[in-house]
Amino acid sequence: MKPLRVLIAAAIIAALLCAAALAAAGALGLDFAGLIHGAFEKRGDDVQPGELEQQLSEGQWVYLNGENVAVILPEAPLKILLSDDSGESWRESTVEGSDTMQAFGDVREQHYLGGWIGAFGEDGMYLALTGGLAAGSQPLNIYLSGDSGKSWRAVETPHTLGLYSGVVTGAAFASAESGTVCYRYWEDAGPVAWHTADGGASWARAELPVPPEYAGCCFMPGAPAFDGAEGRLEISAEREGRPVGGFTVRTRDGGASWALE
């Protein structure tokens, strides 16, 4: 596979992490939703097409960067389809150990319900996988690859370390060392993001600034988008359960610190 580089503008990255991903899939003649839904059916999971399309519109399951395409297939163990020619040909990668997940105090067979995949640097890739929800908690597995997705290794997450286990709304790595996981408001109003600077060995909560006009709101960050150390994160706000707008924060150090756009 050609080197997967994240060298496009942050605006383009953001576009690929929203509904434009579905439009791009159609332009390439690829049925991403069908591939992923078929994998769910194969292992007996009941996932509605509308739910899956919503996840795709939020930047889950598929990564697009020029001719490079990566698609998560939620089988057991998990498989990744990789193409470097816009889907003309594919190779398959198996994520060893992905058929189990630490969830709610036990290691159990896991049916993944969401996932983010992307690339960084010359040959780096990340994979973040979420499981089922229970009482505001959601298990999370993260895998990194240093060879363009040929092999994967599991790293610690805020969930596996017992630090935080809310509902994941997005995840991305800017490099093999620097990664960010975002969460829906839960234990507090948020916005909540956790950052690692050592490839997942340890995590710390990142400070996300909030404009004064959104004081008293609850917040839900989206999926962060990185172009090297520079990144962008869109955050939506709710007041009394109703959407009231949103704002954007940016980073220049891979997600360690953020400032209002």
Side-chain angles (χ1 to χ4, degrees):
M1 186 176 186
K2 298 175 184 176
L4 283 163
R5 298 183 176 90
V6 186
L7 299 177
I8 55 180
I12 297 177
I13 299 175
L16 292 176
L17 293 177
C18 65
L22 294 176
L28 293 174
L30 302 174
D31 181 11
F32 293 150
L35 282 170
I36 298 163
H37 192 264
F40 274 121
E41 288 185 327
K42 182 178 179 181
R43 64 174 301 170
D45 289 335
D46 182 18
V47 176
Q48 299 301 314
E51 179 183 354
L52 181 55
E53 289 188 6
Q54 175 64 30
Q55 290 178 322
L56 285 167
S57 74
E58 295 171 354
Q60 298 193 54
W61 300 112
V62 176
Y63 172 76
L64 300 169
N65 181 15
E67 294 183 338
N68 293 308
V69 186
V71 183
I72 304 172
L73 294 185
E75 300 179 357
L78 197 95
K79 290 183 174 59
I80 309 296
L81 292 181
L82 299 158
S83 173
D84 62 8
D85 53 15
S86 299
E88 291 292 328
S89 62
W90 296 88
R91 62 181 176 85
E92 186 178 283
S93 171
T94 299
V95 184
E96 299 296 340
S98 60
D99 50 348
T100 61
M101 171 177 272
Q102 179 177 312
F104 316 116
D106 297 312
V107 176
R108 62 183 70 178
E109 179 182 358
Q110 183 58 43
H111 291 199
Y112 294 108
L113 298 180
W116 289 263
I117 189 169
F120 51 81
E122 291 292 320
D123 301 297
M125 294 189 71
Y126 64 85
L127 176 63
L129 303 167
T130 56
L133 304 176
S137 180
Q138 185 175 43
L140 170 69
N141 277 3
I142 292 179
Y143 298 86
L144 298 180
S145 172
D147 54 14
S148 295
K150 294 178 183 177
S151 61
W152 300 85
R153 62 180 180 87
V155 302
E156 298 286 3
T157 75
H159 181 86
T160 60
L161 291 173
L163 299 172
Y164 199 84
S165 58
V167 178
V168 181
T169 56
F173 273 68
S175 69
E177 294 77 29
S178 184
T180 299
V181 178
C182 299
Y183 296 87
R184 177 185 173 88
Y185 59 87
W186 177 40
E187 294 178 331
D188 57 51
V192 180
W194 285 73
H195 177 260
T196 180
D198 53 17
S202 64
W203 294 78
R205 183 162 172 173
E207 293 294 329
L208 299 178
V210 174
E213 60 266 32
Y214 290 107
C217 290
C218 294
F219 301 98
M220 188 160 58
F226 291 105
D227 180 7
E230 296 193 3
R232 187 172 185 268
L233 176 61
E234 295 184 356
I235 300 173
S236 61
E238 296 181 8
R239 183 175 282 117
E240 297 180 352
R242 297 182 178 180
V244 293
F247 55 95
T248 302
V249 294
R250 287 188 177 273
T251 181
R252 293 185 175 180
D253 54 15
S257 62
W258 299 83
L260 291 171
E261 186 174 67

